[in-house]
Amino acid sequence: MAAKKLYESFSKGLLEDVNRWGSMKQTGVSLKYMMEFGSKPTARNLLISSQFLHKELPIRIARRAIELQNLPYGLSLKPAVLKVRDWYLDSFRDLRSFPDIKDQNDELEFTRMINLVKVRHNNVVPMMALGVQQLKKDLNPKVDYKDLDEIHQFLDRFYMSRIGIRMLIGQHVALHDPNPPPDCVGYIHTKMSPLEVARSASEDARCICLREYGSAPNVNIYGDPNFTFPYVPTHLHLMVFELVKNSLRAVEERFLDSDKVAPPIRIIVADGLEDVTIKVSDEGGGIPRSGLPKIFTYLYSTARNPLDEHSDLETTDVATLSPLAGYGYGLPISRLYARYFGGDLQIISMEGYGTDAYLHLSRLGDSQEPLP
């Protein structure tokens, strides 16, 4: 019933438009092209960029809106998922109602609008996680996670698409910065230091650990401090933050009632010929072998779920909730961020001792592969 009410708030013409645009083919853009194109953010280039996004974004957003309406096990009808679908339909309507972009004034107005679209979607990931939690409550406890493959595949596609949409919008908006940071082309840092980003992400994760437990293990970082390569620092920060956060929680809980000093988390940055690899190691007791197949699913978490305590979708800003763990999407989302640029994330566990996470980052300077 709730689905019908929300669905009726959008016109039939809009929904037909969504289906039409959702059937169109999306266009990928390589990181090399983004770097070359963005290195000269002239008024003409920004106009070309906005005209491309004016056609491309409705296709990508329409595809996700259609999928959100056709999910298995009744996931489409969960209140949190309906809210996300509304955001996508609102954004599609905003983009389609924007007139053709012909001059600089149009381009600036369009840039303001898509930035608002990006802000509107800030809470999509935690809100979808809430929808999954709402689904879990209704599922038979005996349902095997392997039987929910369709949901996992959808969420992988959905979140990967979201990364791409936010990258396109964020890159375009960032090119308008009159005083960009040195060596930055929009979102892309052409000389990013992985050690610096790892240090910043680790400090942020330790702050949350201190707040949750009153203490936090040290984090030791090893590697060449002068090494740099082209990457998106916000993406790397998110991935390292998630890995370190998991390690801190594991170590802290293992040594909570112990007289021993909690061992440090170790981060090693290695500069290889093909990949840059960041290894995050802990002595937090490891993950049981039976749990390893579940860690990259969206229906599994070893921690208490904080979303259960915040069920009022209208008054709760889920993005402001910063627990140390519990949403059940940190690792799969981090792996998608790595894979977005052709990398990967692997987890190796030694139960009774600890866990090693290997974050593989592709060297992107010459990559001409279109991004998802």
Side-chain angles (χ1 to χ4, degrees):
M1 195 65 157
K4 192 175 178 186
K5 275 186 185 175
L6 280 168
Y7 195 81
E8 286 173 350
S9 67
F10 296 95
S11 71
K12 185 181 177 184
L14 176 75
L15 297 172
E16 288 173 352
D17 211 18
V18 166
N19 286 319
R20 188 167 64 85
W21 280 77
S23 66
M24 296 180 189
K25 187 179 179 182
Q26 71 180 52
T27 304
V29 180
S30 73
L31 191 85
K32 182 175 183 179
Y33 179 79
M34 279 191 192
M35 289 171 63
E36 290 175 351
F37 188 86
S39 63
K40 296 177 181 176
T42 60
R44 181 177 178 277
N45 277 1
L46 292 173
L47 185 64
I48 292 169
S49 173
S50 64
Q51 289 168 340
F52 167 73
L53 293 179
H54 190 229
K55 292 180 180 177
E56 181 66 17
L57 292 175
I59 297 172
R60 295 185 179 219
I61 287 174
R63 285 183 164 200
R64 301 290 76 81
I66 292 167
E67 277 201 310
L68 284 165
Q69 291 167 194
N70 299 289
L71 300 177
Y73 301 99
L75 182 58
S76 291
L77 302 178
K78 300 304 172 195
V81 177
L82 289 170
K83 195 173 183 69
V84 173
R85 189 196 65 185
D86 277 3
W87 290 339
Y88 274 77
L89 290 173
D90 283 335
S91 296
F92 178 83
R93 180 167 53 192
D94 289 348
L95 286 158
R96 288 290 295 127
S97 61
F98 198 93
D100 288 345
I101 302 161
K102 297 175 181 176
D103 55 35
Q104 191 174 6
N105 287 335
D106 292 345
E107 190 276 319
L108 290 172
E109 192 58 38
F110 177 77
T111 300
R112 280 190 285 270
M113 187 268 287
I114 61 172
N115 195 42
L116 290 175
V117 166
K118 185 168 177 282
V119 171
R120 175 188 288 147
H121 291 244
N122 279 350
N123 288 355
V124 160
V125 176
M127 191 61 78
M128 282 300 293
L130 178 52
V132 170
Q133 297 301 335
Q134 291 167 345
L135 174 67
K136 277 175 75 173
K137 284 183 178 179
D138 297 339
L139 283 177
N140 186 325
K142 295 180 181 177
V143 171
D144 194 313
Y145 287 104
K146 293 176 185 174
D147 295 335
L148 302 174
D149 232 22
E150 207 177 335
I151 288 178
H152 300 315
Q153 288 173 21
F154 156 72
L155 289 169
D156 269 346
R157 286 194 308 273
F158 180 80
Y159 290 137
M160 183 67 93
S161 170
R162 180 177 182 269
I163 292 169
I165 289 169
R166 294 180 75 79
M167 181 70 196
L168 288 174
I169 294 176
Q171 179 70 4
H172 179 81
V173 171
L175 290 176
H176 287 75
D177 186 349
N179 299 301
D183 303 311
C184 283
V185 179
Y187 263 17
I188 306 158
H189 196 309
T190 60
K191 295 180 181 178
M192 185 200 73
S193 165
L195 250 73
E196 282 183 21
V197 176
R199 188 169 290 113
S200 170
S202 300
E203 288 170 0
D204 288 349
R206 288 191 79 248
C207 283
I208 289 182
C209 188
L210 283 165
R211 191 177 70 202
E212 291 284 313
Y213 294 103
S215 61
N218 289 326
V219 179
N220 298 334
I221 305 177
Y222 307 92
D224 181 358
N226 298 315
F227 167 60
T228 65
F229 75 114
Y231 208 77
V232 178
T234 52
H235 287 195
L236 181 57
H237 187 283
L238 179 149
M239 293 183 279
V240 175
F241 171 82
E242 187 62 38
L243 295 175
V244 173
K245 185 184 71 169
N246 287 349
S247 289
L248 289 170
R249 179 171 70 90
V251 170
E252 193 63 34
E253 292 188 354
R254 189 184 189 200
F255 289 86
L256 205 54
D257 300 317
S258 171
D259 294 333
K260 297 179 182 177
V261 176
I265 313 300
R266 295 178 303 282
I267 300 178
I268 301 171
V269 179
D271 170 21
L273 291 175
E274 291 185 10
D275 287 344
V276 176
T277 302
I278 298 178
K279 178 184 175 186
V280 179
S281 300
D282 66 60
E283 296 175 37
I287 302 164
R289 204 149 49 97
S290 61
L292 280 173
K294 301 176 184 175
I295 62 174
F296 286 112
T297 75
Y298 299 93
L299 294 162
Y300 174 78
S301 175
T302 57
R304 167 186 58 84
N305 171 31
L307 292 166
D308 288 340
E309 303 159 14
H310 301 274
S311 57
D312 187 344
L313 300 183
E314 299 304 321
T315 59
T316 301
D317 180 0
V318 288
T320 64
L321 306 175
S322 300
L324 200 60
Y327 294 110
Y329 59 72
L331 283 177
I333 289 284
S334 295
R335 185 169 68 173
L336 290 180
Y337 269 96
R339 288 179 172 179
Y340 179 73
F341 286 133
D344 209 351
L345 172 61
Q346 296 173 313
I347 305 291
I348 298 175
S349 168
M350 184 184 286
E351 189 182 5
Y353 181 76
T355 304
D356 290 339
Y358 291 86
L359 182 59
H360 302 284
L361 309 172
S362 291
R363 291 184 167 280
L364 301 172
D366 298 317
S367 175
Q368 298 190 50
E369 289 294 315
L371 299 171

